Amino acid sequence: MLHLRLITPADTTDEVVRLIEKTVGTTHVVVLPGAARNPSGDVVLCDVAREAGDELLTGLQELGLDRTGSIAVENIDLSLSKRADKAEAEAPGEPADAVLWEHLVDATHEESTLSVTYVAFITLATMIAACGVVLDNAILIVGAMAVGPEFGPLAGICTAIVQRTPRLAARSLIALLAGFAAAMALTAAFGLFMDAVGLFTEAQLEAARPNTGFIYAPDWFSFVVAVLAGAAGTLSLTSAKSGALVGVAISVTTVPAAANAAVALIYGDTNQTVRSSEQLLLNLLGIILAGTLTLLAQKYFWKRYRQRT
């Protein structure tokens, strides 16, 4: 269930309440006349089944409430109410299948911002991966994959394509490209420092690496795994099952490929640099393709389902 807190101008409150009451899957409607001060107006509270949430939010936006008042949405972790159970049963579809498009756009917008924190996370992840590739340590590679925040901008690009929001696409693309560029540059400097103190050597990089050699050996399996991970990651975002994102993060070799390219570059190994870069681009392309197709499929099938009900 979702909880909505609305601030409505007094002259639109009745219309808002009528919209809520005619939306299947809503309950616990509360109207507090004149309770809002900034902006001034009435406060309307209600609960709505997740599968009916997108329809209600769209209707509220069509009434202009996002411009004249306020729409706030919260997840309800526990609701002990027979009315809530009845509302969920009446709402068409299953909660896990419903996509809250406004929530998805808002979430990906936040995760795809080029901030100091984002650059710090992707740089630290790439540096950890650099240690992993030089030491041929698979545990460090997995740890670096889990730390990397790059799925946020990738999801932002997919959402922007489906929802046709150019600003989100530009913001996500900038975060993705600038983030990896900064991370690789700083990791190259980190590699030079580690080489200077004798912790990294060219011999380690060029030696047989049975645990991490796949990072600079792109093939069709790399693309297939990226596609599968992109679909799984997108489903985890739209169904609010964020725990699955950890599994997605350690399935693709984006950060490790960037790290291998950076370290290989400082030692002049153009073959590994090029091959690692190919691995990176192949994984990014696979995730974007799969994420976009997954969102399009969800949008299409949910629309068809709602038309039949």
Side-chain angles (χ1 to χ4, degrees):
M1 293 289 287
L2 302 172
H3 178 69
L4 271 63
R5 186 183 70 250
L6 313 173
I7 297 178
T8 70
D11 58 346
T12 62
T13 299
D14 290 342
E15 196 172 3
V16 168
V17 172
R18 282 196 298 270
L19 174 63
I20 294 172
E21 290 178 339
K22 77 175 185 180
T23 301
V24 177
T26 58
T27 188
H28 303 153
V29 182
V30 177
V31 180
L32 305 174
R37 293 292 180 267
N38 183 22
S40 60
D42 304 330
V43 174
V44 179
L45 309 174
C46 73
D47 295 340
V48 59
R50 179 182 172 86
E51 53 269 42
D54 191 62
E55 177 188 354
L56 180 56
L57 290 175
T58 300
L60 293 170
Q61 288 178 296
E62 289 174 352
L63 292 177
L65 200 59
D66 55 328
R67 298 185 300 274
T68 61
S70 171
I71 304 172
V73 183
E74 299 174 333
N75 280 306
I76 300 176
D77 295 326
L78 176 64
S79 179
L80 302 177
S81 166
K82 289 185 177 180
R83 288 183 177 272
D85 295 340
K86 184 174 181 291
E88 286 194 314
E90 291 176 345
E94 295 295 329
D97 295 334
V99 180
L100 297 176
W101 291 102
E102 288 300 325
H103 177 268
L104 182 61
V105 170
D106 183 69
T108 51
H109 181 279
E110 181 180 349
E111 294 294 328
S112 61
T113 300
L114 184 63
S115 62
V116 173
T117 301
Y118 171 81
V119 174
F121 266 115
I122 197 168
T123 299
L124 291 171
T126 309
M127 289 180 177
I128 293 172
C131 295
V133 297
V134 171
L135 297 175
D136 193 34
N137 189 316
I139 295 177
L140 292 177
I141 295 298
V142 172
M145 291 176 176
V147 172
E150 72 278 7
F151 193 81
L154 290 169
I157 293 172
C158 299
T159 304
I161 293 172
V162 174
Q163 293 296 94
R164 299 179 183 179
T165 51
R167 293 183 64 181
L168 177 60
R171 176 187 292 267
S172 301
L173 191 60
I174 290 171
L176 186 68
L177 297 180
F180 268 115
M184 292 174 72
L186 291 171
T187 300
F190 171 72
L192 289 172
F193 169 77
M194 295 291 280
D195 179 77
V197 297
L199 295 177
F200 280 9
T201 65
E202 185 175 1
Q204 288 176 300
L205 181 72
E206 300 297 339
R209 288 156 47 194
N211 295 320
T212 59
F214 67 92
I215 292 172
Y216 59 93
D219 55 22
W220 279 108
F221 278 106
S222 302
F223 184 73
V224 169
V225 170
V227 167
L228 297 175
T234 303
L235 285 173
S236 72
L237 285 178
T238 57
S239 63
K241 296 184 182 298
S242 58
L245 280 176
V246 177
V248 172
I250 61 176
S251 299
V252 292
T253 53
T254 49
V255 165
N260 200 88
V263 175
L265 183 64
I266 68 173
Y267 287 122
D269 188 337
T270 55
N271 179 58
Q272 283 201 42
T273 300
V274 171
R275 299 281 286 170
S276 298
S277 299
E278 290 175 353
Q279 179 79 280
L280 173 61
L281 294 175
L282 196 63
N283 277 270
L284 295 178
L285 178 61
I287 293 172
I288 292 173
L289 177 62
T292 302
L293 292 177
T294 300
L295 289 176
L296 287 172
Q298 287 181 287
K299 194 171 188 177
Y300 172 77
F301 287 115
W302 185 256
K303 183 179 179 180
R304 290 288 301 272
Y305 180 82
R306 294 302 298 269
Q307 288 174 344
R308 292 198 304 267
T309 56

